[in-house]
Amino acid sequence: IKLNYLIFFQNLKFDKRSGKELFEKYNLYPSFPVSTANFTFIHNNKKYYPLSNISNSKVFLPNEEGFYPIYQSDKYGFNNQSFETNPDIILIGDSFVEGCCVESSKNIAGNLLRNYKVLNLGKIGNGPLVEYATYIEYAKDIEAKYVFWFFFDNDIQDLYRELNSEILSKY
């Protein structure tokens, strides 16, 4: 079994480029987990906590399956072709919702888009408090038929970390 396994994986094409190369050579931006770094920035003496990626940019996700999933971010930096203000479904979650490890057409939103209007608010590294902040800041006034909020076992650890954030604790 091990021999067949090795032969199978030796025949796979694996993208060996680094994230640095994608950024410098192809002008692609990484989807990095700002929540795990408890990242904030200051503008006009006010602290901000980013909840999404760089807007209107080509974003690449981690190479965990031999390729970098790449998508064009919407005007707020999420993995949507455009920011849907009248969706049937809102998706909230972390990397699984954002679309890590799969092409955009094969992630959760991509599959649902075949039959529904979808707003994807997933972001790699997000935990429950960041996800709630994302909902409040981007979707609380949007009426959707369904809101799917995805939780995973790592979210409890994320929540403990997020509760230490001065900005997030206000949510």
Side-chain angles (χ1 to χ4, degrees), residues 27-61:
N27 201 30
L28 302 173
Y29 294 91
S31 178
F32 59 94
V34 293
S35 63
T36 57
N38 203 9
F39 177 77
T40 58
F41 65 92
I42 299 173
H43 179 69
N44 292 334
N45 295 321
K46 188 172 180 181
K47 283 187 179 180
Y48 292 89
Y49 190 102
L51 299 172
S52 63
N53 293 304
I54 298 171
S55 61
N56 300 316
S57 299
K58 290 280 188 186
V59 176
F60 68 91
L61 295 163

Side-chain angles (χ1 to χ4, degrees), residues 106-123:
K106 296 178 182 176
N107 68 23
I108 297 168
N111 279 289
L112 290 170
L113 280 168
R114 295 178 189 142
N115 298 305
Y116 303 97
K117 294 185 284 182
V118 178
L119 177 59
N120 182 350
L121 299 178
K123 175 75 176 89

